[in-house]
Structure formats: structure tokens, C-alpha cells
Amino acid sequence: MKSQIAKLVASALDVLVRDGVLDAGQRREPVIERTRDASHGDFATNAAMVNVKAAGMKPRDLAQKIVDALPQSPQVEKVEIAGPGFINFYLTADAYHSLVPEIIRLAHDYGRSDLGKGKKVQVEFVSANPTGPLHVGHGRGAAYGAVVADLLQAVGFEVHREYYVNDAGRQMNILAASVWLRYLELAGEELDFPSNGYKGDYVWDIAATLHREHGDEYRFSADEVFQGIPADEPRGGDKEKHIDALIERCKVLLGDNRYRYVFELALNTILDDIRDDLEKFGVIYQEWYSERSLVESGAVNKAIERLRKSGYLYEEKGALWFRSTEFGDEKDRVVVRDNGQTTYFASDIAYHMDKLERGFDRVIDIWGADHHGYVPRVKAALTALGDDADKLDVLLVQFAILYRNGEKLAMSTRSGEFVTLRQLRKEVGRDAARFFYVMRKCEQHLDFDLDLAKSQSSDNPVYYVQYAHARICAVLRQGAEKGLELEPGTGDTHLDRLTEAHELNLLKTLSRYPEVVEAAALNEEPHQLTHYLRELANDLHTYYNAHQFLVDDEALRDARIKLILATREVLRNGLNLIGVSAPETM
């Protein structure tokens, strides 16, 4: 409906340009929006006020000329000029009635558009280090990223979903050393496990696989392993120096081949677990992009060389630094350490350089909120490379805090004390987890009430929305049991019988769905869709409680069934976009 009003206004402005009332070069596109007050009509536009310069006349005078130039439309009952020059459109009841057969006819495609046709967007999300299972914090980024990608696809963008695998660097080496040390314990060695190692049960599981398949082949005495190693923090030492020394000792004792085997065993075991976890959460990627491939392909060296040629690198104390302070950073950043090793930041620069070289019109990164300081640094590097940093959009997702029985659950990744995404999914179900995760703006903190998510009541938002869909299905089953014909065609017969206030409210809410999908997609705000679905469900429940559908009046019954069939379709489409099922029974 909004698009049709926009076409009417555009046609009127075209007439005024043709007649010389408007200067074509100064013409500005107006805003069309729904009115907040029903007494002001259904839609309003500021077309007159934004074009006063192009017309050289008062807003209300221009508004009158626009109204006079509007084409006739059977959907518009009347048009009024209000305030300083707003133009208000009042739609006919038939305009809303005609929406019902359109929704039924379009079915899955209702609400979809080709707004982004021809534009390629990459959405990179989750990208958690493969050093342990996904926890509930990662789950929020997974749900949010998946819905943003699906919304963009729904409005016509070509979307590429990607997971960046951090399969290089220090954290992976800490994981490999942690697995090997647990293996030594399983082999009978007694040792003090490093305070900075990974302590989760999953490390024991990987170590057990290594021990089961290779026996004592990787065993060394604890004395040999820890001889000369700097003290750990509990013994008054530095935990970072302690773990780094253990990593080097691990590499020396095992040698390249055996160390690489432990490293790959840990990486692949966890990565397979992550991939399986995400697939069961309804998150599928087109690509799993390896950080190591950037080094192997020469992309990191290419990025460093481009920065060098642009004059943004310098050497100091044996290291190579990026002049990020010239872009507002608090200090310059190392890209190559004094030992010749490139940094994680260097890999990130190369990765984003590669993204833009792959031809994406827009790149969306979804990161944890703790990375906020990293955003301007990456954008600065892209600018220094000569790329368009405005093509990169970084969305920061706040952590999700779990509550059970009103008490906050403790979380610590390194210690292994955390709730995994898999545990959450098994406890509350995929539907509730997906819905709850996207109910708030990504930058807002999310308090996830486990008890509420499992409850079967109107207080549980996902249950409330799904129950609206199930209720409609129940009406259709009841009708079938009575032998009534409840699958009407797509025609608009009998829809003039929909005159009750509840019916008109429901029709207006249904008409807003395409606008909500578009706004949620373009603003990267899935919560707009969850709020809309709750509102639509409320309208359906209110209608259901106030009226009967299987009435004796055949024409009225036909009209009401058509209306709830259209409502069922929109509920199903909206739930599908956020990765939630639409059950027929509950």
C-alpha cells in the first residue's frame, strides 16, 4: 500500500515538473509514512514541504497543486492537506479488503521484494575462535547474523554468509598445548595444569582421542616438559610467559609433524562441533574462510606491501608498525612482530582487503561488543589501502546473560564454566532461543530468562506468536470435521462483510508487513520483525476471542476464513524469516 501511495505522489510531481511548476533539477523525493493518528488518515507525505524551493511557493499552495495532480485511485477515499503542508491519504475499505486475496495468492512471497536486486552483500558472523564449543554469547551473534542475512535476501540482495575461521595464532597454540598436557595426564603423568590453559571438559575429550588412538607415542615425562619453564601465576610468576614457554616446549619435544597432528586434531574436532552446532541451530554458511589461507595465498604479504607503498608503515625496534594514529587511533599498531611473525591485525587487514576484492557492494561484520575499539582500526587500514571503508558496516552484539529462577548464571570461557549453545538449545528449544536472541537491538544487553522461554503462556513471546498460527490451523481443522469448505480461492468475494473493528485492525496490521520486512532489513534490526509478529498475534488472539469464524452465514464465514488464512500466511512468513517454526498444533 505504501508503494502505491508513493507511485501516486511521484506521478503528481511528474505532472508538476512537466507543467513547469517544479524545477526538475531541484526536485526532491518525499517521505511516505503511516500516520500515527487514525484521524489523520492512513498515510501522509511531506512532498510539498521538501519541494518548496523547487516550486518557489508556499508549502500549502504547493500541496494543493500536488493534490490536484494526483491520479484517481480506487484505493483512495479522500486526500486532505494538514498543518504546514502535509498531505494525508485516507484509504477505502476495499483497499484493505483487496490485500487478503493478494496475500493468499503470493503466499511465501508476500513481503518479499527486489529492492536490493543486483547488489552483493557479504555477512560475516559468529567467527568464534575454534578453541572450544559455542556458548550462549556466540548464540546471540549466530541468531542475529542469520536473521540479518535472511532479511537482506528477502528484499532482493544477493547474500553471502561467511564464517572466518581463526585457525592460526596464539590461542590455537594454547589449545594444542592444553590438549597435549591433558593427554600426558591421561598417560599417567602428574603435572600442574597451566592457569592460562583451556580447562573445559572438551579438552579432556580431545586428549582422550589422542591417547586412545596413539597410546604413549606422544608421551614425555612431566619433568622433561616443565624443566626450566618460567613459573605460573599461582607460584608468583607470569601466566603468559608460562604458557608461551610450554607451547615452545611442546613444539620442540613433539617436533613439527606430531605437533601439527595435535594442533589439527584439536582444530578439526572443535570446528566440526561448531559446524554441527550451528546447522542444528538453523545457521548455514556459504563459506568457511580460513585465516591460514590468507598467509598461504600471500594475501597478508600483499596487504602489508600495499600499506608500505601508501606510506602508512614504518619500522621501530625490529617490528613493522601501521600508522593508525593518523586515522584517530590512540596508538600505532604492529603488523609484523620483531620475530618476523605477522599479527592477527595484519590477517584482519588482508581478510577485509580480500572481501572487497571479491566484489561485494557491502560487507557486514557482526562482532561481539568487546571489539568496539577494533572497528575504527580496521576501517583506517582499508582507507590506507585505498579502499572504500564506507562499504564496511560493523554491527556489535552485546552479550546474553542467562537467568534461571531469577538468578544470573556464571560464565567463564577459559575456565570451562559456561553454558553452551547446544545446552541452551536442548533446554529451551531452537525456536525459543532464536526468537529471544533477536527481540532486542543488537547493541542492547539481553537478559535471557530460561524459565520464561520454556513456559507455555502468553507471557512467553514466541509461544504467543506460534499459538496464534496454531489457533488458525485449529479453526480450519474444526471446519473440516464439520464438512465445511474452508479453502476459498484467491478472489475478493464477500470481503466487504469484514466490517468489525477487530477485522479492520487486523487488516491494517497485515498491510504493514512488507514495510516492516524492508525496514528491518535495511536497518539491520531483526527486532522490528519480532515486535511486529507479537502485535499481529495480539490482533489475531483478540479477534479470535471476540468472534466466531465457523458461522452459519456462508458469505461471512468465507470472508473471515480468508482473513485468517492471510493472517496465517504472514505469521508463517515472519516466523520463517527469524528461523522459527510455525506449528499447526500446540
Side-chain angles (χ1 to χ4, degrees):
M1 289 185 175
K2 181 180 178 180
S3 63
Q4 293 187 22
I5 298 296
K7 288 176 183 176
L8 294 176
V9 174
S11 177
L13 293 176
D14 287 343
V15 170
L16 297 187
V17 169
R18 185 195 65 199
D19 293 346
V21 177
L22 287 180
D23 183 316
Q26 293 184 310
R27 171 177 167 175
R28 291 182 60 192
E29 292 305 311
V31 172
I32 312 291
E33 59 185 2
R34 289 183 179 270
T35 59
R36 294 195 178 117
D37 187 340
S39 66
H40 296 159
D42 297 280
F43 290 91
T45 180
N46 63 349
M49 291 180 289
V50 298
N51 281 292
V52 289
K53 185 176 180 180
M57 63 177 66
K58 294 179 180 178
R60 285 187 67 94
D61 293 340
L62 178 57
Q64 188 59 57
K65 288 187 175 297
I66 293 172
V67 170
D68 293 341
L70 285 169
Q72 290 295 313
S73 171
Q75 293 189 324
V76 178
E77 181 176 327
K78 65 177 180 177
V79 181
E80 290 183 349
I81 299 170
F86 285 106
I87 302 173
N88 294 338
F89 292 81
Y90 295 76
L91 301 187
T92 63
D94 286 344
Y96 287 105
H97 292 155
S98 65
L99 185 68
V100 172
E102 180 186 1
I103 294 173
I104 296 173
R105 177 180 60 83
L106 290 174
H108 172 73
D109 289 330
Y110 179 67
R112 294 177 175 267
S113 71
D114 59 359
L115 183 71
K117 186 177 181 180
K119 295 180 181 178
K120 293 174 61 180
V121 179
Q122 186 223 42
V123 183
E124 181 231 319
F125 58 109
V126 183
S127 298
N129 287 341
T131 53
L134 296 178
H135 55 61
V136 293
H138 299 132
R140 188 178 187 192
Y144 178 74
V147 179
V148 166
D150 288 350
L151 283 166
L152 288 169
Q153 186 169 306
V155 296
F157 290 92
E158 181 183 337
V159 181
H160 183 84
R161 300 159 181 82
E162 190 159 297
Y163 189 115
Y164 181 52
V165 182
N166 303 121
D167 52 5
R170 184 168 178 264
Q171 293 306 317
M172 288 306 302
N173 286 322
I174 293 175
L175 174 66
S178 299
V179 167
W180 184 57
L181 292 171
R182 289 304 192 200
Y183 157 84
L184 292 178
E185 290 182 292
L186 289 172
E189 297 295 327
E190 293 186 6
L191 54 86
D192 291 328
F193 195 81
S195 61
N196 210 23
Y198 285 98
K199 302 182 180 68
D201 289 342
Y202 63 93
V203 178
W204 283 107
D205 293 339
I206 300 170
T209 299
L210 180 63
H211 186 256
R212 183 173 59 253
E213 296 181 356
H214 294 275
D216 287 346
E217 184 181 340
Y218 289 72
R219 181 176 181 177
F220 290 84
S221 70
D223 290 341
E224 189 174 3
V225 172
F226 285 87
Q227 184 178 6
I229 297 294
D232 200 359
E233 189 173 73
R235 295 181 178 273
D238 185 318
K239 65 180 181 180
E240 304 296 348
K241 291 181 179 179
H242 181 73
I243 192 68
D244 286 342
L246 282 172
I247 290 169
E248 292 308 310
R249 181 63 51 81
C250 177
K251 290 180 178 179
V252 169
L253 293 176
L254 291 177
D256 289 344
N257 290 337
R258 287 190 296 179
Y259 177 75
R260 179 53 55 186
Y261 182 85
V262 175
F263 185 100
E264 294 291 343
L265 176 65
L267 168 66
N268 292 327
T269 300
I270 291 175
L271 200 56
D272 287 346
D273 184 72
I274 288 173
R275 187 180 284 108
D276 177 68
D277 218 3
L278 288 170
E279 286 179 357
K280 289 176 178 172
F281 196 49
V283 179
I284 305 295
Y285 293 90
Q286 278 74 53
E287 188 164 357
W288 294 72
Y289 194 104
S290 165
E291 180 187 354
R292 276 188 293 178
S293 72
L294 290 168
V295 177
E296 294 165 357
S297 69
V300 175
N301 287 336
K302 178 183 176 182
I304 290 172
E305 190 57 32
R306 281 180 60 181
L307 289 175
R308 191 194 304 274
K309 287 181 178 179
S310 67
Y312 288 104
L313 292 186
Y314 66 91
E315 290 188 32
E316 185 176 292
K317 298 180 181 178
L320 202 57
W321 298 72
F322 169 55
R323 299 181 188 277
S324 55
T325 51
E326 293 193 20
F327 299 90
D329 201 357
E330 59 188 34
K331 63 180 181 179
D332 292 340
R333 306 291 172 173
V334 176
V335 290
V336 182
R337 299 187 182 93
D338 55 7
N339 63 3
Q341 295 294 311
T342 56
T343 61
Y344 178 82
F345 181 45
S347 294
D348 242 1
I349 296 172
Y351 180 44
H352 286 83
M353 175 189 74
D354 176 78
K355 289 185 181 193
L356 296 182
E357 287 181 346
R358 280 187 271 162
F360 294 113
D361 299 290
R362 186 171 163 213
V363 169
I364 299 173
D365 287 355
I366 296 175
W367 296 347
D370 55 337
H371 287 74
H372 65 91
Y374 203 62
V375 178
R377 207 173 307 161
V378 173
K379 283 182 171 275
L382 287 175
T383 302
L385 287 169
D387 289 324
D388 185 0
D390 288 338
K391 287 186 175 182
L392 172 62
D393 190 8
V394 181
L395 309 175
L396 300 175
V397 179
Q398 286 286 351
F399 200 71
I401 302 172
L402 295 186
Y403 287 85
R404 181 183 284 115
N405 299 324
E407 295 186 4
K408 179 179 175 181
L409 301 184
M411 294 279 288
S412 173
T413 306
R414 183 61 61 88
S415 69
E417 295 177 4
F418 57 86
V419 177
T420 66
L421 176 59
R422 182 166 295 151
Q423 289 169 330
L424 176 70
R425 195 180 72 244
K426 288 181 177 179
E427 180 170 351
V428 306
R430 168 174 148 179
D431 286 345
R434 290 279 302 237
F435 198 100
F436 271 60
Y437 271 138
V438 296
M439 283 197 308
R440 301 279 182 273
K441 285 186 176 182
C442 64
E443 63 267 25
Q444 291 181 328
H445 285 282
L446 175 66
D447 292 338
F448 196 120
D449 188 330
L450 294 169
D451 301 304
L452 178 61
K454 291 184 290 184
S455 69
Q456 297 183 357
S457 71
S458 59
D459 293 330
N460 180 352
V462 65
Y463 181 87
Y464 188 67
V465 175
Q466 288 179 316
Y467 189 47
H469 183 272
R471 263 186 157 175
I472 295 170
C473 294
V475 171
L476 299 177
R477 284 195 303 274
Q478 292 165 14
E481 290 169 2
K482 293 180 179 181
L484 300 174
E485 174 57 56
L486 298 181
E487 290 293 339
T490 58
D492 57 3
T493 54
H494 309 310
L495 292 173
D496 57 344
R497 298 292 301 275
L498 299 175
T499 58
E500 298 287 348
H502 294 113
E503 293 165 341
L504 296 176
N505 285 338
L506 192 52
L507 284 165
K508 288 186 177 182
T509 303
L510 290 172
S511 74
R512 286 176 37 228
Y513 178 68
E515 299 161 39
V516 172
V517 172
E518 181 179 312
L522 297 183
N523 295 308
E524 298 148 345
E525 294 184 341
H527 73 276
Q528 290 196 36
L529 182 53
T530 61
H531 289 178
Y532 169 83
L533 288 172
R534 293 172 74 177
E535 183 180 343
L536 178 59
N538 182 68
D539 287 346
L540 185 281
H541 289 308
T542 304
Y543 182 35
Y544 182 95
N545 292 332
H547 299 280
Q548 295 293 318
F549 303 107
L550 304 179
V551 293
D552 293 333
D553 185 332
E554 188 174 341
L556 180 60
R557 182 175 71 233
D558 179 66
R560 288 181 173 176
I561 292 301
K562 284 178 179 175
L563 177 56
I564 64 171
L565 280 172
T567 304
R568 181 181 68 169
E569 195 62 59
V570 174
L571 286 167
R572 187 159 50 199
N573 290 353
L575 287 169
N576 179 64
L577 276 177
I578 54 177
V580 175
S581 69
E584 296 189 359
T585 58
M586 291 179 71

